Amino acid sequence: MTYFISKKLSRGLRGGVLAMVAGLALSACGEDFFDVKNPGQILDADLNSARGVSALVVGMSAAFSEGYDGQAFLVARATDEMAGSGSYNSTAFFRRGILEAEEVDGWWEDAQEARWVAEAGLLRMSEIEGYTFEGNPLTARAYLLAGFSNRWLGENFCEVAFSSPYEGDTGEALPKSAAFQRGLDHFVEAKRQGDLAGTNDVATAAVGGQAQMQANLGNWSAAANLASQVATDFVYEAIFSANSTSERNEIYNETHLRNEMSAFGTLAGSYILDEAVAAAGGIPEDPRAPFTNCFVPGACSTPVGADGLTPHLRQDKYDDRGSNIPLVTGTEMRIIEAEAVLNTTQDIPTFLGFINEARAHYGIDPIDAADVTGVGSVRDGDDMDAWSILDRERHLTVWLEGRRLWDLDRWNHPFIEGGRVIYEPVNPRARCVPISFSECQTNPAIPCSVGG
């Protein structure tokens, strides 16, 4: 089962406005057609109609998708997901583990725009005369988008700030947990509204979003209970399209149309079976992290990255301009259940049951309990202890979905301590994205020292 969040821009709305203007011009048939008359401004209040709510929610969806692919691109280069093999100024910083306030304005602004558009849109929808707010599929979807945008903020930024639209939003710097709780509340309401509206896709995605937020807050029993309610084959995605530049998946653009990052030297890139397989086409062993070995003659336009040095292992998870980015998957829910076991009972057979259910979905052989060396830790460096298995399984399950930076942070992962993918890193590497310089310049509640 696969469900979508549309990033399609409201061309129909723009076309409708143009048609309306043309109609008004033609209605003045008794006057000179080319007379210029000022009809006055279109009042914002005139847009408050039940018929306009669908376009309003499409706008929320567009605001989310247009920025989230860029966030996933940042995370891939700043972590062990991908080697920053390009020549952008940002890549030069991110691949070394440097995330500074002066370099992240656009990413902060995209996340805040997505959040504000959804939250303020919900307030607006609740006040529109003639719009049935309660139990409406559009209301449910808007709450879901508000939840995802807060997850985006909490999982990626060191601190968060809310200047509006709610009473009590002071603009002060707050811990990540503020975004997680805020997003959790939105997901709870998205589930309630989705149930009332009968939109099962939204309701199920909202349960998955709640599981993610409860896990982020460290409430593992609640996270596991919620995750268990999402089927392993469920997928809810942010939609992208080849229709226009702003609708295209940026990760595709930066790996297929330009070699700005590569799987070379990463966990994903290690899954070439052997040299013979690599020579025959570089077929990846793990379907969760597919890639093409560009050193195979004719496989790609060039065998190296835009830096002119790094071998290009081109990601193929997003193999089209319009490839979608998963936001909730049933396989991640099984990984959440597995992590909950390690944080509670540490029952290895139960842990492996969840891991192997997710692997089976992708057609991957199960891990034998006899091969597991114990509970361990992500810091142990023992490839077959339970925590190291979880690290690898989650890494590959949510690969290139903008989730890895938070995992490294919350696990205090050893990669933070000068972990290297090709380029020499700083030590420690950044574990989160700071509040942007543009925010501290315009928000008096945040001194620029807080933003970095």
Side-chain angles (χ1 to χ4, degrees):
M1 295 178 290
T2 303
Y3 302 103
F4 311 113
I5 288 177
S6 176
K7 192 190 176 185
K8 187 185 297 180
L9 296 180
S10 51
R11 286 181 175 74
L13 178 62
R14 293 202 300 272
V17 171
L18 291 173
M20 179 183 69
V21 171
L24 288 173
L26 291 172
S27 70
C29 295
E31 302 178 17
D32 187 343
F33 181 81
F34 295 102
D35 280 352
V36 178
K37 298 184 182 298
N38 181 2
Q41 291 182 324
I42 297 174
L43 299 178
D44 183 68
D46 293 339
L47 300 176
N48 289 335
S49 69
R51 293 178 61 188
V53 173
S54 180
L56 187 63
V57 177
V58 167
M60 297 176 192
S61 181
F64 181 90
S65 291
E66 189 168 1
Y68 192 73
D69 55 344
Q71 185 69 52
F73 179 40
L74 180 159
V75 169
R77 290 174 291 163
T79 67
D80 53 354
E81 282 192 313
M82 294 286 274
S85 59
S87 57
Y88 292 153
N89 185 62
S90 59
T91 298
F93 283 103
F94 298 164
R95 66 192 174 198
R96 297 181 57 221
I98 300 171
L99 294 171
E100 296 181 341
E102 292 84 353
E103 300 294 330
V104 300
D105 285 351
W107 288 275
W108 171 264
E109 290 158 10
D110 281 346
Q112 286 287 4
E113 178 184 353
R115 177 195 64 80
W116 187 89
V117 167
E119 292 181 344
L122 277 161
L123 290 177
R124 184 171 189 160
M125 288 160 61
S126 69
E127 298 171 352
I128 293 176
E129 185 177 352
Y131 173 69
T132 304
F133 186 85
E134 190 74 2
N136 195 302
L138 294 172
T139 302
R141 188 160 174 246
Y143 272 114
L144 190 66
L145 287 161
F148 285 131
S149 61
N150 276 279
R151 190 196 76 182
W152 172 1
L153 275 167
E155 288 189 344
N156 288 282
F157 292 90
C158 305
E159 296 173 291
V160 297
F162 308 109
S163 299
S164 63
Y166 300 139
E167 290 184 13
D169 287 343
T170 63
E172 295 176 328
L174 300 170
K176 289 172 169 284
S177 58
F180 294 147
Q181 186 59 57
R182 190 173 176 122
L184 176 61
D185 294 342
H186 290 316
F187 284 133
V188 168
E189 188 61 17
K191 171 64 164 65
R192 189 181 76 83
Q193 295 286 352
D195 285 341
L196 289 173
T199 51
N200 294 332
D201 57 332
V202 171
T204 302
V207 172
Q210 289 178 60
Q212 293 166 341
M213 292 305 209
Q214 293 285 16
N216 290 343
L217 289 165
N219 301 327
W220 287 104
S221 293
N225 178 58
L226 289 157
S228 70
Q229 300 172 42
V230 180
T232 304
D233 63 350
F234 180 83
V235 181
Y236 197 95
E237 300 175 312
I239 285 295
F240 295 82
S241 171
N243 195 45
S244 70
T245 301
S246 64
E247 297 173 85
R248 294 171 188 166
N249 185 315
E250 187 172 357
I251 294 177
Y252 170 83
N253 288 342
E254 298 295 352
T255 52
H256 283 246
L257 306 183
R258 176 183 170 85
N259 300 354
E260 192 65 23
M261 63 181 186
S262 167
F264 184 79
T266 69
L267 174 65
S270 70
Y271 282 102
I272 293 179
L273 289 171
D274 53 41
E275 291 184 5
V277 172
I283 301 172
E285 180 180 5
D286 197 307
R288 295 168 293 186
F291 63 87
T292 294
N293 180 2
C294 290
F295 266 79
V296 175
C300 310
S301 59
T302 177
V304 297
D307 60 0
L309 298 171
T310 305
H312 192 49
L313 299 188
R314 187 191 69 200
Q315 71 76 30
D316 289 328
K317 179 171 182 171
Y318 308 122
D319 59 358
D320 184 82
R321 286 184 175 94
S323 292
N324 307 325
I325 297 181
L327 297 173
V328 172
T329 65
T331 49
E332 186 202 350
M333 296 298 107
R334 303 292 80 81
I335 301 300
I336 287 176
E337 290 177 286
E339 185 170 356
V341 170
L342 294 187
N343 279 292
T344 53
T345 65
Q346 299 187 341
D347 182 319
I348 297 300
T350 302
F351 162 79
L352 275 184
F354 293 126
I355 292 292
N356 287 333
E357 186 175 348
R359 290 172 67 89
H361 175 77
Y362 296 104
I364 307 171
D365 291 340
I367 297 173
D368 192 327
D371 295 330
V372 182
T373 58
V375 175
S377 162
V378 293
R379 304 187 68 80
D380 281 353
D382 180 349
D383 285 345
M384 289 308 296
D385 69 81
W387 273 104
S388 295
I389 291 169
L390 179 79
D391 181 16
R392 289 195 302 276
E393 294 298 306
R394 181 167 173 86
H395 184 149
L396 296 169
T397 299
V398 298
W399 188 57
L400 303 184
E401 294 175 13
R403 314 295 299 284
R404 184 62 177 170
L405 190 61
W406 170 229
D407 287 343
L408 298 181
D409 184 10
R410 68 193 180 89
W411 287 336
N412 192 27
H413 198 284
F415 185 76
I416 294 170
E417 298 168 4
R420 177 173 181 166
V421 183
I422 311 301
Y423 283 86
E424 188 68 32
V426 296
N427 188 2
R429 300 176 66 98
R431 58 199 308 152
C432 52
V433 184
I435 292 177
S436 72
F437 191 60
S438 62
E439 178 72 21
C440 72
Q441 283 184 308
T442 57
N443 180 355
I446 298 180
C448 278
S449 58
V450 174

